[in-house]
């Protein structure tokens, strides 16, 4: 089958008709850009993705990296793709002109990156991690760290990682044991173990810059005592070039279900008591600094999951159009040719559900990136609101696309039937790749706890109030008769969410957090489905406004997917809300001995 990539009409629709990216060009940072420059960047990204990334997605899955003679060996196409990505300027697409970057809006840079992620998430991962790590050093590192590490990272000479997880601690960062002992020269000596470090060993560049969470002896207990360090694979000489090997050892490669082309590593720091690290920012502020990278990565993981959901959907769509089987129930004349399976109602159900999930996931991810542009370049009041809204929505932007993009992939396999779970067709790999995303950068359960245990109550619930007001702006702007039932349904659902939130708040006050948070996943799904419905209302409103006759079929597809979501998916919110209002204790009361 021919490969699939993000549909450019749909992407332009999201960027310009739905998210008003044009308005950003009036801002000083983006005044050198226009719709034409963004489309040109997307043209380059699409061409490069097709030529350098799509060609080895399946190959790097079959021939995953191996540890041979002290080095990681991977398909040569991975480095070719990485170098091409760097040379085309996409690693620094968000960076300022002064840094040698494109100075693209965040939303446009994300759209370009989406071209690569859609066709090859594994190879794209190395550049994604490097850009995110570099951004932390840019925002919090000293001038010395920026000169010695940020500049070569942005040039693609060094790659980057984040090293958080430890074998005994998992998501519980308060329990990390890695230590960093200060030295007389201002550096630190680190000692500890990290696991599941994506990109933690590779031969793509001259050096690898690990951002490592560790505790300085004598610091505060728990997460308040965590600091952040730059720990390079190779120490640098006086000229900034890689020199002696640092005391960072690859303890092993982890062999994964999916994303096999991206190395996943177990690393040992300071086994020989000589691991040099350099403090980022102030002591004991590491988790705050790292959360910037983590939150950036979380939105990116959600976007990637939505893209994989979309990729599987497009494969299934092409297959359903070509595959002939059976006849219509009311015309079972066996002398007549069989019909393409796309004409069967249940296949339409599977395809329409995939479309609804995948395109909502992409829409909410791009909305998140649009909020980042508002934070960075908007007026002060608008920037503060955008920051509050993004903070609230980050658990949703990570988990909803991860959960429902994966469900879309499951349905893609179903469309293929028995062919779907064979390796002769691509959807089984797409499913395997996407299965990692509900776990990457915090499991769905952890994000549910974060949302309901912390984010909902920030600033006395101002984030939730702001979200409701933003939704109502689009509800009240809905004038087309085809969209009004959707707007009314969404408006009618908001009081249920408010009641559920109040019920959980009362339960937390009376019974404590353990009982109140036992249904955090239901709250996360409730809010995620509400946001997805909101994204579909926005798309539907934009679709009915399209005036070009060439867009007629495109607009009808958008409206029908929105209609599906509001009729079949949004009602789930009411069920989740009722369980929260009831304070259901099914999970809380299940004794471990009963399993």
């Amino acid at each position: 089958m021919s490969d699939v990539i993000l549909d450019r009409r749909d992407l332009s629709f999201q960027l310009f008709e739905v998210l008003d990216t044009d308005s950003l060009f009036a801002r000083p940072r983006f005044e050198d850009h226009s719709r034409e420059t963004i489309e040109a960047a997307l043209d380059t990204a699409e061409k490069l993705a097709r030529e350098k990334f799509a060609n080895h997605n399946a190959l790097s899955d079959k021939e995953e990296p191996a540890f041979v003679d002290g080095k990681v060996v991977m398909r040569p196409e991975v480095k070719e793709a990485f170098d091409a990505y760097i040379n085309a300027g996409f690693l620094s697409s968000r960076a300022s002109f002064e840094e040698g970057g494109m100075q693209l809006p965040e939303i446009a840079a994300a759209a370009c990156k989406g071209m690569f992620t859609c066709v090859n998430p594994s190879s794209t991962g190395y550049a994604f991690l490097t850009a995110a790590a570099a951004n932390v050093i840019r925002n919090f590192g000293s001038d010395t760290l920026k000169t010695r590490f940020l500049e070569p990272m942005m040039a693609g000479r060094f790659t980057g990682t984040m090293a958080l997880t430890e074998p005994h601690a998992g998501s519980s960062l308060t329990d990390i044991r890695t230590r960093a002992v200060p030295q007389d020269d201002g550096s630190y000596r680190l000692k500890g173990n990290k696991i599941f470090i994506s990109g933690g060993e590779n031969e793509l560049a001259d050096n690898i810059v690990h951002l490592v969470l560790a505790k300085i002896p004598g610091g505060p207990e728990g997460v308040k005592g965590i600091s952040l360090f730059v720990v390079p694979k190779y120490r640098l000489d006086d000229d900034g070039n890689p020199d002696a090997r640092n005391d960072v050892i690859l303890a092993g490669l982890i062999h994964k279900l999916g994303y096999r082309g991206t190395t996943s590593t177990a690393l040992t720091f300071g086994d020989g008591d000589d691991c040099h690290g350099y403090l980022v920012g102030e002591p004991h502020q590491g988790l705050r600094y790292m959360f910037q990278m983590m939150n950036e990565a979380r939105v990116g993981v959600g976007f990637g999951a939505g893209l994989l959901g979309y990729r599987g959907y497009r494969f299934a769509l092409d297959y359903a159009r070509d595959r002939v089987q059976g006849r219509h129930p009311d015309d079972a004349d066996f002398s007549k040719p069989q019909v393409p399976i796309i004409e069967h109602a249940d296949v339409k159900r599977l395809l329409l559900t995939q479309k609804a999930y995948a395109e909502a996931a992409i829409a909410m991810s791009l909305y998140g990136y649009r909020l980042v542009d508002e934070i960075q370049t908007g007026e002060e009041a608008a920037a503060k609101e955008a920051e509050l809204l993004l903070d609230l929505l980050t658990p949703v932007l990570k988990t909803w696309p991860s959960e429902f993009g994966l469900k879309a992939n499951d349905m893609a396999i179903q469309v293929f039937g028995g062919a779907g779970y064979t390796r002769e067709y691509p959807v089984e790999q797409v499913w395997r790749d996407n299965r990692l995303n509900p776990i990457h950068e915090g499991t769905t359960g952890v994000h549910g706890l974060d949302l309901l245990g912390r984010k909902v109550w920030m600033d006395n619930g101002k984030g939730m109030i702001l979200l409701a007001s933003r939704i109502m702006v689009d509800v009240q702007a809905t004038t087309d008769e085809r969209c009004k039932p959707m707007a009314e349904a969404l408006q009618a659902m908001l009081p249920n969410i408010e009641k559920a939130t109040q019920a959980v708040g009362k339960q937390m006050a009376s019974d404590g957090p353990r009982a109140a948070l036992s249904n955090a996943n239901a709250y996360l799904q409730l809010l995620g489905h509400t946001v997805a419905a909101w994204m579909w209302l926005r798309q539907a409103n934009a679709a009915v406004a399209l005036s070009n006759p060439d867009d007629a079929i495109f607009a009808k597809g958008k409206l029908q997917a929105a209609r599906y979501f509001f009729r079949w998916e949004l009602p789930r919110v009411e069920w989740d809300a009722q369980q929260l209002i009831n304070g259901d204790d099914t999970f809380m009361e299940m004794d471990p001995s009963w399993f």
Side-chain angles (χ1 to χ4, degrees), residues 2 18 24 36 223 381 392 400 455 466 540 549 567 569 593:
S2 59
V18 179
L24 293 174
E36 289 70 28
V223 295
L392 171 71
W400 196 91
K455 297 293 180 64
L466 178 60
R567 289 189 176 185
E569 297 288 339
S593 67

Side-chain angles (χ1 to χ4, degrees), residues 149-218:
F149 297 104
L150 174 61
E151 292 178 13
M153 290 172 77
M154 296 307 297
R157 293 191 292 111
F158 297 176
T159 61
T161 78
M162 56 176 171
L164 289 71
T165 307
E166 298 185 5
H168 64 281
S171 298
S172 180
L173 295 179
T174 189
D175 295 312
I176 67 171
R177 297 172 184 164
T178 300
R179 292 291 183 266
V181 179
Q183 306 296 301
D184 292 340
D185 63 359
S187 67
Y188 289 76
R189 296 296 177 270
L190 276 76
K191 194 174 187 65
N193 301 288
K194 300 288 183 177
I195 197 169
F196 301 131
I197 311 306
S198 296
E201 185 64 50
N202 64 77
E203 296 293 327
L204 299 177
D206 298 335
N207 206 351
I208 303 173
V209 179
H210 304 288
L211 292 184
V212 181
L213 290 181
K215 294 181 177 179
I216 300 171

Side-chain angles (χ1 to χ4, degrees), residues 287-546:
L287 201 57
R288 180 170 68 87
Y289 301 153
M290 186 63 94
F291 262 121
Q292 173 179 302
M293 183 176 182
M294 290 166 66
N295 286 336
E296 181 177 339
R298 285 165 175 169
V299 177
V301 167
F303 188 33
L307 291 167
L308 286 175
Y310 178 86
R311 177 174 170 82
Y313 156 63
R314 289 293 300 275
F315 277 131
L317 179 60
D318 290 346
Y319 183 82
R321 285 172 170 161
D322 292 338
R323 170 68 166 166
V324 294
Q325 184 175 321
R327 296 164 183 84
H328 294 296
D330 58 355
D331 190 17
D333 184 346
F334 299 113
S335 68
K336 292 182 179 180
Q338 298 185 80
V339 298
I341 63 173
I342 198 171
E343 295 192 24
H344 297 309
D346 197 61
V347 174
K348 290 181 183 180
R349 174 185 68 85
L350 292 167
L351 290 170
L352 188 55
T353 305
Q354 290 174 69
K355 178 180 174 69
Y357 288 167
E359 292 180 11
I362 291 171
M364 69 170 67
S365 298
L366 291 174
Y367 181 81
Y369 287 115
R370 183 65 175 78
L371 288 175
V372 176
D373 282 318
E374 201 63 39
I375 293 168
Q376 294 177 347
T377 64
E379 298 290 338
E380 183 177 359
K384 286 183 177 179
E385 284 194 352
E387 187 171 15
L388 179 62
L389 194 55
L390 182 60
D391 205 11
L392 171 71
L393 289 178
T394 292
V396 172
L397 298 182
K398 190 275 175 184
T399 59
W400 196 91
S402 296
E403 292 287 343
F404 288 90
L406 180 63
K407 285 180 171 62
N409 292 149
D410 191 73
M411 293 178 183
I413 292 174
Q414 196 72 14
V415 170
F416 275 78
Y421 50 71
T422 67
R423 294 193 177 183
E424 281 67 34
Y425 289 91
V427 286
E428 66 87 26
Q429 184 193 338
V430 177
W431 184 91
R432 286 189 289 103
D433 285 340
N434 218 357
R435 186 59 189 85
L436 278 61
N437 285 318
I439 299 172
H440 271 163
E441 302 307 326
T443 65
T444 300
V446 166
H447 284 290
L449 294 172
D450 179 44
L451 176 66
L452 190 55
R454 190 170 69 91
K455 297 293 180 64
V456 167
W457 317 108
M458 290 185 310
D459 291 340
N460 295 316
K462 287 183 181 178
M464 291 294 291
I465 296 170
L466 178 60
L467 175 62
S469 69
R470 291 286 179 93
I471 290 173
M472 286 305 301
V473 167
D474 288 308
V475 166
Q476 293 166 357
T478 303
T479 57
D480 191 279
E481 291 301 321
R482 291 165 290 180
C483 301
K484 278 187 176 180
M486 304 176 200
E488 291 166 358
L490 186 55
Q491 182 176 3
M493 197 60 71
L494 293 179
N496 292 328
I497 300 170
E498 184 178 2
K499 289 177 185 176
T501 306
Q502 291 174 350
V504 172
K506 290 179 181 178
Q507 187 181 24
M508 197 171 291
S510 62
D511 302 333
R514 183 183 297 185
L517 296 179
S518 65
N519 292 321
N521 186 70
Y523 194 91
L524 181 61
Q525 179 169 287
L526 168 152
L527 196 60
H529 251 54
T530 302
V531 171
W534 177 33
M535 294 298 107
W536 271 117
L537 178 63
R538 290 166 60 85
Q539 290 185 77
N541 282 336
V544 298
L546 296 174

